[in-house]
Every structure is written in structure tokens, then in C-alpha cells.
């Protein structure tokens, strides 16, 4: 076994612990999504969630044909914050690359169907929450 192979298999958790840890990662209703939705609702902006569109956008303004995705920095390869895990590199490279390519495909499908797409990084919400809200308000023409 080479050093690279042993590095790929090194994990401080057992296989069962890792499985439970990964299963606990939420794909919907994450804290950044909930904070943004709560703010938009408090401003009187009425949206839909769980709308049947490609990629299942996090927030949808149907009448404005606007789909909003709140993308996690790790899962969607944020150019500012993403760091590839040192263990199991090949697995993570394939997984994250699939996520990024799927994001591009979904954005293209929605655009082709006449939808406008906003992709918001989770770090944008932490760094400039009010700026993100203003950007959404401007996009929907309010």
C-alpha cells in the first residue's frame, strides 16, 4: 500500500460513525435557508418552497419566475471557502464535481424554461445578509 492509498483510507471515525455523521447533513431547511425565508416573509415577500422545478429550488417566486438556491460552500465548491478533504479524495472529488455540474445543468434548464436563477452562497448570508435580501428585492422588482 502506498502512502497516498493509506491517506485515502485514514479516517478518525468508524465506518458506521461516518455514515451517521453524513446522514445527519441536511439537504433542505438548513439554517441559512430558514433565516433567509423568515426575513423575506417578514418583508411581505410571498414565495413557495418545494415547488416542482428542476433542482428543487429553495425559494421560488412563481409569479416573477425566480428560483433561488442557497448553496453550501462545501457541497457546491465555493471558490472562496471550499477545501477538498484530505481523506478519501477520489470519492469527494467525484461527489463535489457531480454537484457542481448538476448545478450548471439545473440553471441552464430553468433559464431555457424562462426562469431567472439566483444562486446564493451560504457565506454571503453570513457576511452580508441585508445585501442578499436587497439583491432579491431588486431582482423581483420591489
Amino acid at each position: 500500500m502506498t502512502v497516498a492509498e493509506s491517506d485515502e483510507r485514514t479516517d478518525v471515525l468508524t465506518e458506521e460513525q461516518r455514515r451517521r455523521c453524513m446522514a445527519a447533513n441536511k439537504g433542505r431547511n438548513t439554517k441559512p435557508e430558514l433565516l433567509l425565508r423568515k426575513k423575506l416573509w417578514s418583508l411581505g415577500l410571498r414565495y413557495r418552497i418545494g415547488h416542482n422545478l428542476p433542482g428543487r429550488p429553495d425559494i421560488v417566486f412563481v409569479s416573477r419566475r425566480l428560483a433561488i438556491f442557497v448553496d453550501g460552500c462545501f457541497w457546491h465548491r465555493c471558490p472562496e471557502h471550499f477545501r477538498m478533504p484530505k481523506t478519501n479524495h477520489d470519492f469527494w472529488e467525484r461527489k463535489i464535481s457531480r454537484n457542481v455540474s448538476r448545478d450548471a445543468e439545473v440553471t441552464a434548464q430553468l433559464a431555457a424554461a424562462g426562469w431567472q436563477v439566483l444562486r446564493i452562497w451560504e457565506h454571503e448570508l453570513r457576511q452580508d445578509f441585508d445585501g442578499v435580501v436587497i439583491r432579491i428585492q431588486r431582482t423581483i422588482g420591489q
Side-chain angles (χ1 to χ4, degrees):
M1 181 180 316
T2 68
V3 173
E5 289 172 331
S6 66
D7 283 347
E8 285 184 26
R9 295 183 185 153
T10 304
D11 195 348
V12 296
L13 301 178
T14 67
E15 200 170 301
E16 175 62 19
Q17 289 170 324
R18 177 63 59 204
R19 187 196 64 73
R20 278 187 276 131
C21 184
M22 293 305 291
N25 286 317
K26 293 168 52 172
R28 310 281 313 149
N29 299 323
T30 63
K31 188 174 181 180
E33 288 175 39
L34 293 175
L35 290 171
L36 181 59
R37 289 185 348 213
K38 185 175 182 178
K39 179 66 173 180
L40 295 174
W41 197 266
S42 75
L43 293 172
L45 301 175
R46 300 301 180 242
Y47 53 83
R48 298 287 175 258
I49 57 174
H51 203 276
N52 192 20
L53 287 172
R56 293 180 306 159
D58 300 309
I59 300 170
V60 178
F61 291 94
V62 178
S63 64
R64 304 285 191 203
R65 297 187 65 82
L66 173 65
I68 300 174
F69 294 88
V70 179
D71 290 339
C73 290
F74 175 75
W75 298 106
H76 298 271
R77 193 178 271 148
C78 168
E80 289 184 39
H81 299 105
F82 177 76
R83 298 291 176 263
M84 182 63 71
K86 292 180 180 173
T87 59
N88 211 0
H89 182 272
D90 292 339
F91 167 80
W92 286 111
E93 179 59 40
R94 284 190 307 274
K95 177 153 188 68
I96 302 300
S97 293
R98 277 193 318 263
N99 290 350
V100 172
S101 64
R102 186 172 39 249
D103 291 345
E105 290 170 18
V106 165
T107 299
Q109 287 175 345
L110 289 169
W115 286 80
Q116 187 172 8
V117 177
L118 273 183
R119 289 199 172 268
I120 299 167
W121 291 109
E122 69 175 315
H123 75 262
E124 290 180 284
L125 291 171
R126 281 193 309 268
Q127 293 171 354
D128 187 17
F129 186 82
D130 292 334
V132 170
V133 172
I134 290 168
R135 182 166 43 140
I136 292 170
Q137 287 176 307
R138 286 183 180 150
T139 303
I140 61 175
Q142 195 180 36

